[in-house]
Amino acid sequence: MSNKAIIKTDKAPEAIGTYSQAVKVGTTVYLSGQIPLIPETMELVDTGIEDQIEQVFKNLTAVAEAAGGSLQDMVKLNIFLTDLGNFAKVNEIMAKHFVQPYPARAAIEISALPKGAGVEMDGILEVGSSSSDHFSM
């Protein structure tokens, strides 16, 4: 018997391809990439990269919550930007959504994203563990 659960919420954009918003296996949640789509309209945020980054964090938050977690449960975050010059903006906005200890992270510049988005993020959550499980060396 599989312990895999598909995570779906209408508070984040519906999948626009052959994927799930997230898959939970045990206490680990694998979040699919989120671009800055507004869930209610499925339209791309077009008011600047800062607003796109904020929308991506809103979408990730919604999926994390649907999985029984939060952004603070994120252990790995992958960021894809069409312009690495926006990396400082990502850091600034990310600091509003996370507190230490921060997740492991990668940021990569790529040539294009779906629907012309400037940013996409995916990640891995670990849910169901207590805050006392955080370690530092």
Side-chain angles (χ1 to χ4, degrees):
M1 182 163 84
S2 173
N3 63 351
K4 178 171 79 171
I6 303 304
I7 307 301
K8 183 174 181 358
T9 179
D10 59 2
K11 294 179 181 175
E14 64 184 68
I16 55 175
T18 54
Y19 62 93
S20 300
Q21 289 173 327
V23 177
K24 184 176 182 180
V25 180
T27 59
T28 304
V29 182
Y30 302 89
L31 284 77
S32 290
Q34 288 288 330
I35 60 174
L37 291 176
I38 301 165
E40 298 80 13
T41 64
M42 291 299 288
E43 296 294 321
L44 190 73
V45 170
D46 63 1
T47 52
I49 190 65
E50 292 91 349
D51 291 338
Q52 286 196 10
I53 295 164
E54 284 287 357
Q55 187 64 50
V56 169
F57 280 123
K58 286 179 191 174
N59 295 344
L60 289 172
T61 297
V63 178
E65 289 174 353
S70 73
L71 286 186
Q72 281 310 124
D73 296 311
M74 183 93 54
V75 295
K76 177 70 165 114
L77 179 66
N78 295 309
I79 302 165
F80 306 94
L81 294 161
T82 57
D83 180 356
L84 205 52
N86 291 319
F87 185 66
K89 292 175 186 168
V90 170
N91 278 334
E92 179 183 323
I93 294 167
M94 186 175 167
K96 296 191 291 186
H97 293 275
F98 289 87
V99 296
Q100 291 187 11
Y102 300 123
R105 185 179 78 175
I108 302 164
E109 180 176 295
I110 59 175
S111 63
L113 288 167
K115 295 191 174 266
V119 60
E120 180 173 352
M121 297 183 207
D122 68 18
I124 301 170
L125 303 177
E126 183 63 26
V127 296
S129 60
S130 72
S131 60
S132 63
D133 290 340
H134 297 291
F135 298 98
S136 60
M137 299 294 263

